[in-house]
Amino acid sequence: MRLRVEYTTEPFDLEEAPRHAVVAREVVAGARLDAFDVGPFGNTAEGRADEVLAAVAKLLGESLDAGATRVSVQVSVVAEDDR
């Protein structure tokens, strides 16, 4: 099974990426995922279910430790024809 995760960390800072956002990005970029896209208000990544779920768990722990006050996460199953 393949999953897509979309996530944001808060609070936002439009001047400079806050530490919690950088930490979250590093966690996902370092995971063994097939696709990763950074957007201005949300980020997405895609890969095997076990890899995505492991990355989400690490993302939550490390971004909260780095000062995030909220982490919004949405996980969706990717249909084979959506690839």
Side-chain angles (χ1 to χ4, degrees), residues 51-62:
E51 297 292 344
V52 170
L53 295 174
V56 168
K58 189 172 180 180
L59 159 81
L60 291 170
E62 292 193 19

Side-chain angles (χ1 to χ4, degrees), residues 5-59:
V5 61
E6 301 174 50
Y7 71 91
T8 58
T9 61
E10 295 179 40
F12 296 116
D13 182 344
L14 297 178
E15 299 296 319
E16 183 177 334
R19 176 160 162 59
H20 58 80
V22 172
V23 166
R25 188 176 331 148
E26 289 171 349
V27 166
V28 176
R32 297 174 54 193
L33 303 177
D34 302 330
F36 178 43
D37 183 49
V38 176
F41 297 105
N43 308 289
T44 60
E46 189 175 303
R48 288 189 356 224
D50 59 336
E51 297 292 344
V52 170
L53 295 174
V56 168
K58 189 172 180 180
L59 159 81

